[in-house]
Amino acid sequence: MAKYLLLKHYRGAPNPVNDVPMDQWTPEEISAHLRYMRDYAARLEATGEYVGGDALAPEGTWVRYDGEGRPPVTDGPFAETKDLIAGWMIIDVDSYDRALELAAELSAAPAAGGKPLQEWLELRPLMSAPPTVSE
């Protein structure tokens, strides 16, 4: 089994086919989208392929260590992932092909007009062990 991270993006990826911002969806369209996401996760949980996931709130803070005895530095000059990343899911699957299949299925969540969102998802393998350093 290999673990993969599926990242849903607000922006930064190519636009989805059904490119209507969620704040313009009807309450029924939002409910259908969220129901699809819950049902998808429940189905993967039943097959043992779901590890975890959640939607992310739009607010967030960057934090950095700034030296012993100093307060942390916050909201530095960084890319604002709170504006980029909408949510995440980790899956544990038998193959890369299965990860692709599940990512494509997640991309089909309903959106405006009840049509599939067809959003681009970022699929990244989780490292199974830390990289080794050879001298």
Side-chain angles (χ1 to χ4, degrees):
M1 299 288 276
K3 291 182 181 168
Y4 289 88
L5 173 66
L6 297 169
L7 282 176
K8 295 175 68 68
H9 292 271
Y10 285 120
R11 60 184 173 87
N15 290 339
V17 172
N18 191 352
D19 194 17
V20 178
M22 192 178 230
D23 63 0
Q24 295 177 22
W25 297 3
T26 66
E28 295 79 18
E29 291 166 343
I30 292 171
S31 292
H33 181 82
L34 296 176
R35 185 172 43 258
Y36 182 97
M37 300 295 291
R38 282 192 305 272
D39 292 349
Y40 176 88
R43 189 170 44 79
L44 294 187
E45 193 169 26
T47 64
E49 295 173 305
Y50 182 78
V51 175
D54 223 327
L56 298 174
E59 60 276 345
T61 302
W62 281 94
V63 178
R64 184 192 78 204
Y65 172 76
D66 200 34
E68 192 64 39
R70 299 179 63 159
V73 176
T74 60
D75 270 349
F78 309 107
E80 294 288 342
T81 57
K82 59 190 174 193
D83 295 333
L84 300 176
I85 301 174
W88 60 275
M89 183 177 289
I90 296 177
I91 56 174
D92 194 358
V93 294
D94 289 328
S95 68
Y96 176 71
D97 287 339
R98 178 65 175 153
L100 288 174
E101 178 184 330
L102 291 176
E105 187 177 331
L106 185 57
S107 171
K115 297 178 183 171
L117 182 56
Q118 292 182 268
E119 68 181 323
W120 289 91
L121 298 170
E122 186 176 353
L123 176 65
R124 295 182 64 179
L126 272 62
M127 294 177 71
S128 57
T132 57
V133 178
S134 58
E135 296 184 40

